[in-house]
Amino acid sequence: RCLSDWSSDVCSSDLNVIWQHDNSNPVNVSGSVSVSVGGLVASIASFPGADFGAKLMNCVAAQSSTYGGACDGRSFTGALTISETVTLSTPNVLVYLPCATLTSAYQFIVPVGVRNVRIEGCAYQGGSNANGAAGGTVWAYTGSSNAFQIGDPTYAANTSGFWMQNVNINTASAGSAAQAMYFYRTQEIRLDNLYLNGNQSTGQTGITLDGGGNYAGGTFIDIVMNGFGTGWYL
């Protein structure tokens, strides 16, 4: 958190950032943010919480309930443990996951009607050719339900828009009937470059598209399934 110029350095625990738009109207953003070419991106590390999951939820909750925003977790390294269900209830949010293994016995949930949530990992299919899973984004699920659950289990309403790319979802240590991804009445899904690893038994399922009450579907590009009794359940 240091600002430098040719004459001095200014360091502070809490900087006040002025972002100048092309139309010359300044927007004042107080607090811990990082500035990118595309605009303002909130660092997940700067939010309170006992672990990555809690910090992520606080970051997402702080975004605009109408326009969303971006939460960047790429500053995290090493093995991370998530000790609660992660629920993202703000629409139009982009989450950058870290180049790390995130282990959780709890679900990642996008509730009914929360549109246009995007999850992006840091390496192709969540892994590194040079070093196995290291260097990529691995979500190691150890619970007994659905690792990622999107939409409405009551089938009463649609959920439009979910995008995930470059993530390795591993359920090898999960329950015998666990599922990597379950979509309830979710439309406009896009999954790109995912690697899903099961426990090599007959009970687990990779991806379920459950269209009860309407339909579920989208675009699926380069999805690798390994070790599931059922890869796709449609």
Side-chain angles (χ1 to χ4, degrees):
R1 295 197 175 108
C2 293
L3 299 180
S4 264
D5 58 26
W6 293 279
S7 60
S8 64
D9 291 331
V10 178
C11 297
S12 170
S13 61
D14 191 22
L15 294 180
N16 204 39
V17 177
I18 304 296
W19 183 256
Q20 194 75 19
H21 289 278
D22 290 341
N23 61 8
S24 298
N25 295 321
V27 175
N28 187 22
V29 181
S30 179
S32 302
V33 298
S34 61
V35 179
S36 68
V37 173
L40 297 175
V41 180
S43 171
I44 294 173
S46 69
F47 285 82
D51 58 20
F52 179 84
K55 289 177 180 289
L56 169 58
M57 285 189 287
N58 284 326
C59 178
V60 169
Q63 307 309 309
S64 166
S65 60
T66 301
Y67 303 109
C71 289
D72 191 345
R74 291 174 292 186
S75 63
F76 289 84
T77 59
L80 302 170
T81 301
I82 296 174
S83 57
E84 65 271 280
T85 298
V86 175
T87 302
L88 301 191
S89 298
T90 303
N92 304 313
V93 165
L94 165 60
V95 175
Y96 292 106
L97 293 178
C99 296
T101 296
L102 301 100
T103 300
S104 178
Y106 299 86
Q107 292 181 282
F108 186 109
I109 294 176
V110 177
V112 55
V114 179
R115 65 190 182 280
N116 301 333
V117 170
R118 178 179 173 187
I119 311 296
E120 183 171 337
C122 77
Y124 181 78
Q125 291 186 345
S128 165
N129 287 334
N131 195 22
T137 300
V138 180
W139 192 282
Y141 178 64
T142 60
S144 58
S145 185
N146 309 317
F148 289 84
Q149 180 171 300
I150 317 301
D152 182 10
T154 72
Y155 308 106
N158 297 332
T159 299
S160 298
F162 177 83
W163 186 355
M164 178 184 282
Q165 63 189 97
N166 299 329
V167 177
N168 182 325
I169 303 173
N170 190 306
T171 62
S173 298
S176 60
Q179 302 204 29
M181 307 190 80
Y182 201 114
F183 295 94
Y184 292 94
R185 198 167 158 172
T186 307
Q187 293 109 44
E188 300 167 16
I189 304 164
R190 177 161 177 161
L191 304 180
D192 291 354
N193 303 323
L194 303 185
Y195 203 118
L196 279 64
N197 291 283
N199 67 350
Q200 306 294 329
S201 72
T202 59
Q204 291 190 345
T205 300
I207 296 174
T208 293
L209 301 181
D210 188 341
N214 193 353
Y215 76 95
T219 301
F220 308 96
I221 304 171
D222 207 354
I223 312 299
V224 177
M225 294 280 187
N226 174 49
F228 293 97
T230 301
W232 294 82
Y233 189 75
L234 313 177

